[in-house]
């Protein structure tokens, strides 16, 4: 069964970092890029960037440059997204999705990240 | 960044009736070398991840009911639900994948009248 399973909800203080994982099953991990998208409550979707799981090459939205890092561990078919210098505006549900050059066809269940003092 | 604008923001349609959602891009999403429009449509229900419905503006994703169809080219696109079912209540988003950053429309909420 093809699926992406993300790590659980996180609560962080302003200025901290968060690292969200996305584990792929069903032999899809290296078949396409992995993208990360977030959605704040009541807001639309915001694309953060993508990573090629084979090469590790990444592309980030300019808004997140310098604050986001996307990595992977191919031995366990897991992608990671780390976001640093968190503020309350980073409170959102974060999704991983298979797809980069093409639209996301498989999505993780989402990870709620709450930034609060 | 390519700005995507959807209309309307919300609509209420009777069961079995047609629902039409529009999406306009500030620049063309048609790539001349392959004649493909880099436009996708997603359905999003509360507590669930988005579900891909349509890609290349008009290609239905596997398993998506044929009451969902996409049309348009260049800068103007449409998602049509030909006969609205109760399970179609959701927010629908268009997304361009012509260039980075990928950008989404603001969403259209579809409800039952």
């Amino acid at each position: 069964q093809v699926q992406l399973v993300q790590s659980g909800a996180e609560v962080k203080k302003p200025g901290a970092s968060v690292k969200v994982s996305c584990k792929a099953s069903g032999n899809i991990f290296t078949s396409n890029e992995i993208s990360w998208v977030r959605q704040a409550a009541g807001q639309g979707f915001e694309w953060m960037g993508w990573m090629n799981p084979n090469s590790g090459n990444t592309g980030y939205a300019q808004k997140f440059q310098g604050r986001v890092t996307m990595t992977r561990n191919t031995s366990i078919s897991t992608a990671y997204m780390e976001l640093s210098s968190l503020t309350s505006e980073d409170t959102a549900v974060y999704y991983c999705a298979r797809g980069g050059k093409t639209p996301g066809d498989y999505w993780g269940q989402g990870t709620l990240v709450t930034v609060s003092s | 960044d390519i700005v995507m604008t959807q209309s309307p923001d919300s609509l209420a349609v009777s069961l079995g009736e047609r629902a039409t959602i529009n999406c306009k891009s500030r620049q063309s999403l048609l790539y001349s070398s392959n004649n493909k429009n880099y436009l996708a449509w997603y359905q999003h229900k509360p507590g669930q991840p988005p579900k891909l419905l349509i890609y290349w503006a008009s290609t239905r994703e596997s398993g998506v009911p044929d009451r969902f169809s996409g049309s348009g080219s260049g800068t103007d696109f449409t998602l049509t639900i030909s006969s609205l079912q109760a399970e179609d209540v959701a927010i629908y988003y268009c997304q361009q994948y012509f260039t980075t950053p990928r950008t989404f429309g603001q969403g259209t909420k579809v409800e039952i009248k």
Side-chain angles (χ1 to χ4, degrees):
Chain A
Q1 183 181 0
V2 175
Q3 58 179 350
L4 297 174
V5 179
Q6 298 182 222
S7 49
E10 302 263 13
V11 179
K12 296 293 183 181
K13 292 196 183 304
S17 297
V18 68
K19 191 171 186 177
V20 180
S21 68
C22 171
K23 182 174 175 60
S25 61
N27 296 318
I28 66 169
F29 187 64
T30 54
S31 62
N32 206 330
E33 292 88 5
I34 296 289
S35 294
W36 290 87
V37 174
R38 75 179 187 180
Q39 185 181 40
Q43 304 296 311
F45 290 102
E46 188 171 32
W47 183 83
M48 301 179 68
W50 64 22
M51 181 191 64
N52 182 315
N54 292 299
S55 64
N57 289 342
T58 55
Y60 303 141
Q62 189 164 6
K63 174 177 179 176
F64 300 100
Q65 286 275 3
R67 242 182 11 114
V68 70
T69 305
M70 296 177 188
T71 57
R72 89 288 193 209
N73 183 333
T74 54
S75 66
I76 56 172
S77 300
T78 300
Y80 302 93
M81 186 284 298
E82 183 169 21
L83 189 63
S84 63
S85 303
L86 293 170
T87 72
S88 58
E89 295 188 354
D90 295 314
T91 294
V93 176
Y94 290 75
Y95 294 97
C96 62
R98 185 184 79 153
K101 295 183 178 64
T102 52
D105 52 2
Y106 294 100
W107 291 65
Q109 81 277 19
T111 297
L112 175 62
V113 174
T114 303
V115 183
S116 173
S117 55
Chain B
D1 298 4
I2 297 180
V3 177
M4 306 296 291
T5 304
Q6 292 181 227
S7 62
D9 289 334
S10 64
L11 75 161
V13 175
S14 300
L15 288 172
E17 295 300 306
R18 179 185 300 261
T20 301
I21 301 168
N22 300 301
C23 174
K24 193 173 187 66
S25 169
R26 281 260 186 99
Q27 68 182 71
S28 177
L29 305 181
L30 177 63
Y31 191 39
S32 56
S33 67
N34 59 11
N35 203 37
K36 287 182 180 292
N37 287 281
Y38 286 59
L39 188 282
W41 289 97
Y42 294 91
Q43 176 191 68
H44 191 216
K45 297 180 179 179
Q48 298 182 19
K51 176 184 177 181
L52 178 64
L53 298 175
I54 303 283
Y55 57 96
W56 302 130
S58 61
T59 301
R60 203 177 300 114
E61 173 74 340
S62 176
V64 172
D66 60 7
R67 64 179 180 273
F68 291 93
S69 64
S71 62
S73 183
T75 60
D76 293 278
F77 302 91
T78 300
L79 175 70
T80 301
I81 310 173
S82 61
S83 176
L84 191 74
Q85 305 299 303
E87 60 265 31
D88 301 335
V89 170
I91 301 177
Y92 293 83
Y93 294 88
C94 59
Q95 182 214 16
Q96 64 81 17
Y97 51 103
F98 186 84
T99 188
T100 57
R102 306 303 194 222
T103 47
F104 294 81
Q106 81 277 16
T108 295
K109 188 174 186 178
V110 174
E111 300 172 305
I112 304 294
K113 185 185 293 183

